[in-house]
């Protein structure tokens, strides 16, 4: 069974640009969550999608957005990039979010210059 | 908002030693989970706890869900070099609610 796949793995952007990250969950998993990981702040919850609906949302500005498609694949977008957006963005899937048991991808490492 | 406290930020132990980590919160959680992240990888679930007082083992790992539902601990016995990584605790307040993660403890194991 294939794991969670995130693309791209690495990317470099400049301030003011926008970026889209993609996540393919484990087959059959309907819940996809996104987290931002930075050395000082650990794992910060961005949002969770279940059956194409945003079910939970973290405390990030509106520049961070996401969506989920009918095949459960998800994308997150960050507009007007800031230096502080440099981080590892992790996607996690689960059959549902009832239990809190998540399966993480390897992440997309974003560097903003 | 909800916060989970993990300290210290880093731990250094000798191979073969046992190590304990704890995680505390000012809020009650109904589920406690422990994840481990290896360098360059995403976190992997180690143990999930669903009932206050529950003690669960997974090989050399043992974790407990605190009676107050505001804390949990993880114990690693007879550490080996591959135990190196970042250990995160996470709590979930209720079904389908978001997970809150601690900031993690980086474990180093000296051969």
């Amino acid at each position: 069974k294939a794991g969670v796949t995130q693309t791209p793995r690495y990317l470099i952007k400049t301030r003011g640009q926008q970026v889209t990250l993609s996540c393919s969950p484990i087959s059959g998993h309907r819940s996809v969550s996104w987290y931002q990981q930075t050395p000082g702040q650990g794992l910060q919850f961005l949002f969770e999608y279940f059956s194409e609906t945003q079910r939970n949302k973290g405390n990030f500005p509106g520049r961070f957005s996401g969506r989920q498609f009918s095949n459960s694949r998800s994308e997150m977008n960050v507009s007007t990039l800031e230096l502080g957006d440099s981080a590892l963005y992790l996607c996690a899937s689960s059959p549902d979010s009832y239990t809190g048991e998540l399966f993480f991808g390897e992440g997309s490492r974003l560097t903003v210059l | 908002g909800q916060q989970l406290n993990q300290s210290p930020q880093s731990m250094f132990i000798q191979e073969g030693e046992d190590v304990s980590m704890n995680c505390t919160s000012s809020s009650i959680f109904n589920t406690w989970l422990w994840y481990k992240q290896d360098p360059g990888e995403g976190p992997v679930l180690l143990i999930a706890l669903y009932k206050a007082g529950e003690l669960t083992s997974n090989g050399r790992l043992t974790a407990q869900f605190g009676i107050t539902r505001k804390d949990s601990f993880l114990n690693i016995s007879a550490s080996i070099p591959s135990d190196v990584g970042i250990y995160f605790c996470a709590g979930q307040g209720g079904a389908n609610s978001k997970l809150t993660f601690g900031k993690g403890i980086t474990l180093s194991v000296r051969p």
Side-chain angles (χ1 to χ4, degrees):
Chain A
K1 200 174 190 181
V4 177
T5 304
Q6 292 188 245
T7 56
R9 289 291 312 280
Y10 303 92
L11 65 167
I12 299 173
K13 294 285 187 178
T14 56
R15 278 182 301 174
Q17 288 187 311
Q18 66 96 26
V19 66
T20 299
L21 308 177
S22 179
C23 173
S24 293
I26 291 172
S27 178
H29 285 193
R30 297 164 64 191
S31 170
V32 174
S33 303
W34 288 90
Y35 290 83
Q36 181 195 66
Q37 183 176 17
T38 56
Q41 297 301 315
L43 288 165
Q44 300 289 309
F45 174 76
L46 283 156
F47 26 66
E48 184 232 349
Y49 287 87
F50 182 82
S51 293
E52 302 179 66
T53 300
Q54 186 180 86
R55 188 156 64 175
N56 289 298
K57 188 177 187 304
N59 299 320
F60 278 80
R63 299 185 298 107
F64 292 81
S65 63
R67 59 178 175 168
Q68 186 179 33
F69 302 95
S70 58
N71 62 357
S72 293
R73 191 177 70 83
S74 177
E75 288 181 348
M76 68 161 283
N77 184 78
V78 187
S79 63
T80 320
L81 284 165
E82 301 176 359
L83 295 178
D85 296 333
S86 295
L88 180 68
Y89 289 88
L90 290 161
C91 167
S93 76
S94 64
D96 54 51
S97 59
Y98 187 83
T99 63
E101 296 181 19
L102 303 180
F103 297 81
F104 283 88
E106 293 180 316
S108 293
R109 171 83 54 191
L110 171 64
T111 301
V112 182
L113 302 176
Chain B
Q2 296 174 322
Q3 287 189 333
L4 295 184
N5 302 305
Q6 288 187 265
S7 65
Q9 191 172 358
S10 302
M11 299 180 78
F12 299 86
I13 61 172
Q14 200 74 33
E15 184 177 356
E17 288 183 340
D18 298 349
V19 61
S20 283
M21 308 175 188
N22 74 324
C23 186
T24 61
S25 171
S26 57
S27 304
I28 287 174
F29 288 100
N30 291 326
T31 303
W32 284 90
L33 308 105
W34 287 89
Y35 286 83
K36 181 196 175 199
Q37 184 176 30
D38 290 331
E41 305 285 331
V44 173
L45 179 65
L46 298 174
I47 291 180
L49 302 154
Y50 299 104
K51 191 175 176 181
E54 179 182 356
L55 185 70
T56 297
S57 292
N58 178 8
R60 294 179 295 106
L61 308 178
T62 301
Q64 184 159 31
F65 189 144
I67 288 290
T68 65
R69 293 195 284 156
K70 291 183 178 181
D71 63 345
S72 175
F73 80 77
L74 174 72
N75 185 74
I76 304 172
S77 62
S79 59
I80 58 178
S82 63
D83 290 333
V84 164
I86 306 174
Y87 290 81
F88 292 98
C89 63
Q92 185 181 33
N96 297 325
S97 63
K98 65 172 187 174
L99 285 192
T100 299
F101 280 83
K103 293 188 178 182
I105 293 176
T106 300
L107 179 66
S108 299
V109 179
R110 289 187 289 258

